[in-house]
Amino acid sequence: MTFGEQPAYLRVAGDLRKKIVDGSLPPHTRLPSQARIREEYGVSDTVALEARKVLMAEGLVEGRSGSGTYVRERPVPRRVARSGYRPDSGSTPFRQEQADVSARGTWESHSAQAEASGAIAERLGLQAGDRVMCTKYVFRDAGEAMMLSTSWEPLAVTGRTPVMLPEEGPLGGMGVVERMAAIDVIVDNVTEEVGARPGLAEEVSALGGVPGHVVVVIQRTYYASGRPVETADVVVPADRYRIAYHLPVK
């Protein structure tokens, strides 16, 4: 096989990827051995090894101890809805969806006071070290972890109020907009920045993925008259979910 300017290992990985995608190498099929790749593509052992590493990093194949490398089952992506719609019930869209008797979603959360890191302080317009309420969530679908979220709220805004703990008290779980309104803080804007990166070890472990798998990260911030009153990082496994936005037209 003749290779162009692209590094040989990427060309080999690209050809193997095509075979996986078009079904020539179906799920649970053993990937050609390093020796077979070397012979078939006319490349060195180093190139063959690097090509296999690329496919593994992309989550297309997985190593099985003492057995070899196999094509992974490719999940059918499901949707995670993001919406500007606020239900009349006051619950968040996720909670409203899970209230349906046919839904299989559950979630758990934990809140604790913390000091704002430099990055979080900048997002909230605070000084590094200022006190915030940090709440960590795990959202599940039929028992499978499908989304992580970590939120931070300035205690200068919510401290010593009935909404200081996002998931407790009379307004627990009602969502940022409703909770802030209860203390006369009117949220009038929200921004979301979407990016992707390799999942951190603890994220991949919680989401049931493989080290190196890509995650979608949504950085969300709520504002009241230009002042940030909550910011959060939402993490979703990119190979299993797609982010769907439904935005109102004004």
Side-chain angles (χ1 to χ4, degrees), residues 174-187:
M174 294 296 282
V176 175
V177 175
E178 290 76 13
R179 290 174 46 252
M180 292 295 170
I183 57 173
D184 296 323
V185 176
I186 307 304
V187 173

Side-chain angles (χ1 to χ4, degrees), residues 13-69:
D15 191 65
L16 291 171
R17 184 190 303 112
K18 180 178 180 297
K19 292 178 179 179
I20 293 172
V21 172
D22 69 18
S24 300
L25 287 172
H28 310 297
T29 299
R30 186 174 179 176
L31 195 71
S33 67
Q34 189 166 312
R36 175 77 178 275
I37 292 174
R38 181 188 63 209
E39 179 181 346
E40 182 176 345
Y41 292 92
V43 296
S44 67
D45 281 334
T46 299
V47 169
L49 178 60
E50 290 302 314
R52 290 157 64 92
K53 286 181 178 179
V54 168
L55 297 177
M56 190 167 291
E58 293 175 350
L60 295 174
V61 301
E62 60 185 357
R64 298 180 186 175
S65 180
S67 179
T69 305

Side-chain angles (χ1 to χ4, degrees), residues 75-87:
V76 177
R78 288 171 283 177
R79 292 196 313 159
V80 174
R82 310 290 297 173
S83 175
Y85 169 68
R86 306 302 305 178

Side-chain angles (χ1 to χ4, degrees), residues 34-180:
Q34 189 166 312
R36 175 77 178 275
I37 292 174
R38 181 188 63 209
E39 179 181 346
E40 182 176 345
Y41 292 92
V43 296
S44 67
D45 281 334
T46 299
V47 169
L49 178 60
E50 290 302 314
R52 290 157 64 92
K53 286 181 178 179
V54 168
L55 297 177
M56 190 167 291
E58 293 175 350
L60 295 174
V61 301
E62 60 185 357
R64 298 180 186 175
S65 180
S67 179
T69 305
Y70 291 80
V71 177
R72 293 183 69 236
E73 186 81 44
R74 298 183 69 205
V76 177
R78 288 171 283 177
R79 292 196 313 159
V80 174
R82 310 290 297 173
S83 175
Y85 169 68
R86 306 302 305 178
D88 293 337
S89 64
S91 64
T92 65
F94 181 84
R95 286 181 176 273
Q96 185 188 50
E97 175 187 338
Q98 301 311 324
D100 188 296
V101 294
S102 65
R104 302 173 298 170
T106 58
W107 60 90
E108 60 237 30
S109 64
H110 173 73
S111 296
Q113 294 190 33
E115 293 183 356
S117 67
I120 297 304
E122 182 176 357
R123 285 162 58 172
L124 288 173
L126 306 175
Q127 295 295 317
D130 283 356
R131 303 295 292 176
V132 294
M133 183 63 69
C134 176
T135 304
K136 297 186 176 183
Y137 297 85
V138 179
F139 297 94
R140 303 183 187 277
D141 179 21
E144 175 186 297
M146 51 82 68
M147 182 168 65
L148 307 176
S149 178
T150 304
S151 75
W152 298 267
E153 295 179 353
L155 286 174
V157 175
T158 63
R160 299 184 180 182
T161 74
V163 301
M164 185 173 72
L165 293 169
E167 295 293 321
E168 297 182 23
L171 292 175
M174 294 296 282
V176 175
V177 175
E178 290 76 13
R179 290 174 46 252
M180 292 295 170

Side-chain angles (χ1 to χ4, degrees), residues 2-16:
T2 301
F3 293 95
E5 295 182 359
Q6 189 179 41
Y9 76 96
L10 292 180
R11 293 290 299 273
V12 173
D15 191 65
L16 291 171

